[in-house]
Every structure is written in C-alpha cells, then in structure tokens.
Amino acid sequence: MTAHMRIEKAMACLTQIVGERATRVPGILDGHGRSEAYHAARPPDVVVFPESTAEVKAIVGLCRDLRMPIVPFGAGTSLEGNAASLEGGVCLDISRMNTVLAVNGEDMDVRVQPGITRKQLNAHLRDTGLFFPIDPGADASIGGMASTRASGTMAVRYGTMKDNVLSLEVVLADGRVIRTARRARKSAAGYDLTRLFVGAEGTLGVITEVTLKLHPQPEAISSAVCAFPDLKAAVDTAISVIQSGVPVARIELLDAVMMRGMNLHAKLGLPELPHLFFEFHGSKAYVAEQAETAQALAGENGGLGFEWASTPEERSRLWQARDNTLYAGLALRPGAKAMITDVCVPISRLAECLVETAKDIAETGLICPVVGHVGDGNFHLLVLMDPEKPEELPRAKAFNERLVDRALSLEGTCTGEHGIGFGKIEFLEKELGEAVDVMRAVKLALDPLGIMNPGKIFKAPGQEGGHP
C-alpha cells in the first residue's frame, strides 16, 4: 500500500469512527505542525478530535493496523518539537476531551480528561477552596503537562507534575486501556507506571484521564518585586532564601535585559536591573513572617527595596507579565524568533552557572534575556534570532550546546521542564549515556511497531542523525 493509499484509507476509517471530527484541511494540518518552538513546522497527514477513551482506543487500533504514526496534541505550547509530526501520520488532538470527571474534595484530588487546560481546571475548582498549582506560564493542557513532566513558577513550593499526578488512564499502542494506579496517596504495588508515563511525551501511549493532587487555596497571598545591582546579588538572594528554609510559593529571576522587554511589553515601569519576583502563601501572620525574612535576606545582598503588589489586581498584572516573558523578550527584537533554553542545576551551583553564562552572552553578542525558576535551580534564556538571517541559527545552537555542557559539568540537566522532544536528543545521550538504552528497551516493549510519537526523546535503532 502506498503512503497516499494508506492516508486515504485512514481518513475513510476515521470518518466512520468520529465523523467530521477527522480532517485534512490544510490550515488545520499546518496549525498542528507548529508550536512555540523555533523549529520548522512538521504537519501531520490527518488531524482527528476524539471525545472519549473509546474513540482514542479505536483510533489507536486503526493506526496500529495501518502502521501509521500517532502524535498526541494538547494546546500546542511545547518548546522542543514534542508534538511535531516528524513522519506525518495521525495527530490526535485531545482538546475536546476537557471534562472534569470527579472532584474529591475530602481527599483533595480531581480526575479530569487530558484536554482541559490548567486555567479551565482552576476556574472549575474556584468555589471548592482547592486549586491546582502547577503553572508553566502557558495555559497548557493537563495531558500535555503530564506528558512533558512540566513544572513552572510554583514548583519550588508545590512540586512538579511528577509530584502531583496520582494516576493515569492510558491507551497503549496495542489498544489496551490501563490505569496506572488507584487514588491512594501512596502505594508500593509494583512498578511505578504513573511516573513512567509522566514525561514520556506520548511515546509509550496516549493519556486519556489524569488524577491530580489538589491543594488548599491559601488564606493570604502576598507578592513583591525587588531590584538588585547585579545578577549575582539576585541569585545569591534566591539561594539564601531557599537555604534558610523560607517556604516561598514563587521566586523568579529576571535579568536586566528581560526587565527591559517586560517594560516594553507590559508597561511595568520597573528599573531595568536584575529583579526577583516573590510570592508568599499561607495565613496572614505566616505570610508576613516569610516576607520579612526574605526582605532581610535581600537587603543583606544589596537588594534595593521590596515593592509590594498588595491587591489581587496588582498581583495578577505582575504575574501575567511574568507568564508573558516570551512575548516580552520578542519585544526586544521585533520580528525575531526565540530559541528557549531550559537547563537546571543544583541550587548551590546556580550562581556559578548563571555568571559564566552571562560572560558567554557578552562574548557572543547575542540578545538573550534571562528568566528563571531559581528556587529550584532552573532558568531559561530566550536566544533571539532573525529568521531572515540564517547564519544566526548556528551561533544560537552553538551557544545552547555550551550552556548545556556547562550545566552537565555542574551535575545539572539539559531540560528542567520542557522535555526532550526532538530538539534535545543528542543532549540526553550526553546526560544519561547507557540509561537511554534502557529507555529504548521500554519503548520497544510497549510500542514494538514504533507508531507512538516517533522520533522523540531518542533516535530509533538505525536512525541516522537527528531532525532539523
């Protein structure tokens, strides 16, 4: 069967399963080949919008029979080509699977379909006194966040997706539907399949339900920003706050270049110096105590005074500006695209990594605003490139490789939260060596035909090179 015949047969069968929710409209195909990544678009052959686990199971069975790739797609906010259709095939858009299936208030957990976004979930939970804290910035889908092991600004207090997913329902490549765990908060029952699929980027199966931990909405929330004379003073303050045991909910670093972009984009009017953004959760007395300690530590490192966001509207404006740092960075170079880096190091090595990186930026002449979840040692650079100047891409890639090598030399990782996709395959090999062969063995056992999001995380046996 030729590739064209296989696509036509798939489309005919998919129409029988989901009706008009299977499409080959060029604009829809193109939109599902793109993301926030700098990589070129890689569209699928067909996009299908399932609405139930039963439909996903039927679609997976069809793709297995036709030997067609399956690429799960959430909100399209990934940054390493995680949902690019490198070999065409069927893009499984789960955005219509966006129902809250059960809220268990007494147990503080919730069961949802994977297409619901984090903001939709928290809107549903607003009157329960509970919330879901993982905030990667973008309004990503819960399934996509689980698949990439996402984290974000509040990970320093509440952990990452791996800490907040209790159980998954997954459709495997052979069509079986499994549940990886029950709702109990702990279990020693066999292999930890939940954490196997959290971070697997759709390469082992399609997530169709997610059970999440919830947390009490804090009685009081207080946010503040503090400017510093230089990057090292800001980083030293963040390290002191964490090592002193101050349970901040968020502590975010923005360098002077990023502050310039934020002023351009969000009109914050803050000094164009390195800043820390803080948020404190708890009772009113507890929040005041935390804030006082953090403010004192900032003063010891040359902090130029806390500026408080005292009303909900001011806090929302502040953190919305932080969430939009991609667009703030792009405001520094209109028309540019951004390669977004994602290293993470032990917090004791963070200052060393950032100071050396700042020197590298100065020597290469790149525009690279910095933003980081410095409470857990994770930071990002937006390496701004002009798409009309193709010679800039090799410079950006070489800089990113030096950054990753620097992080690995400091016992860190090439990705704190974005995943591997196809953009960091070589870096994963550097980081974990023969452990990647163990991952390949798991992949082969669960997906012997190689139809689940092929070309991601590692190269298939016999694959030459990476992907552009």
Side-chain angles (χ1 to χ4, degrees), residues 161-205:
M161 284 301 284
K162 75 176 177 61
D163 306 302
N164 287 277
V165 176
L166 290 171
S167 177
L168 298 167
E169 180 185 82
V170 182
V171 178
L172 301 179
D174 62 8
R176 284 179 293 169
V177 180
I178 66 166
R179 191 168 296 277
T180 60
R182 300 296 185 95
R183 282 200 303 120
R185 285 297 174 111
K186 66 178 185 178
S187 171
Y191 294 166
D192 191 343
L193 294 179
T194 304
R195 282 168 180 75
L196 176 63
F197 287 97
V198 171
E201 301 185 27
T203 61
L204 301 178

Side-chain angles (χ1 to χ4, degrees), residues 217-374:
Q217 294 176 12
E219 174 191 334
I221 300 175
S222 181
S223 296
V225 298
C226 184
F228 292 84
D230 55 52
L231 191 64
K232 187 175 186 302
V235 176
D236 286 345
T237 299
I239 293 172
S240 296
V241 168
I242 297 303
Q243 292 179 340
S244 298
V246 179
V248 287
R250 310 195 222 201
I251 180 167
E252 296 287 298
L253 170 73
L254 301 99
D255 76 342
V257 182
M258 180 59 82
M259 291 306 301
R260 189 181 315 133
M262 291 183 74
N263 284 337
L264 285 169
H265 180 72
K267 314 299 182 189
L268 290 182
L270 292 170
E272 292 178 3
L273 294 168
H275 275 69
L276 290 178
F277 284 26
F278 295 89
E279 187 164 278
F280 308 95
H281 292 181
S283 67
K284 290 181 180 180
Y286 190 49
V287 162
E289 182 182 346
Q290 293 176 46
E292 183 178 335
T293 302
Q295 191 166 5
L297 291 169
E300 292 174 7
N301 285 289
L304 304 177
F306 269 44
E307 183 172 330
W308 295 96
S310 53
T311 68
E313 292 76 18
E314 289 173 344
R315 289 199 305 272
S316 177
R317 180 169 178 258
L318 183 68
W319 289 106
Q320 184 175 357
R322 162 58 189 87
D323 284 348
N324 288 331
T325 47
L326 170 58
Y327 308 107
L330 293 174
L332 295 165
R333 194 177 184 187
K337 295 192 75 172
M339 174 189 290
I340 304 176
T341 71
D342 179 37
V343 297
C344 185
V345 296
I347 193 167
S348 63
R349 314 302 296 274
L350 180 61
E352 179 181 354
C353 191
L354 271 166
V355 168
E356 289 301 313
T357 299
K359 290 179 184 177
D360 196 350
I361 293 170
E363 290 171 2
T364 57
L366 294 165
I367 301 175
C368 302
V370 178
V371 58
H373 318 307
V374 287

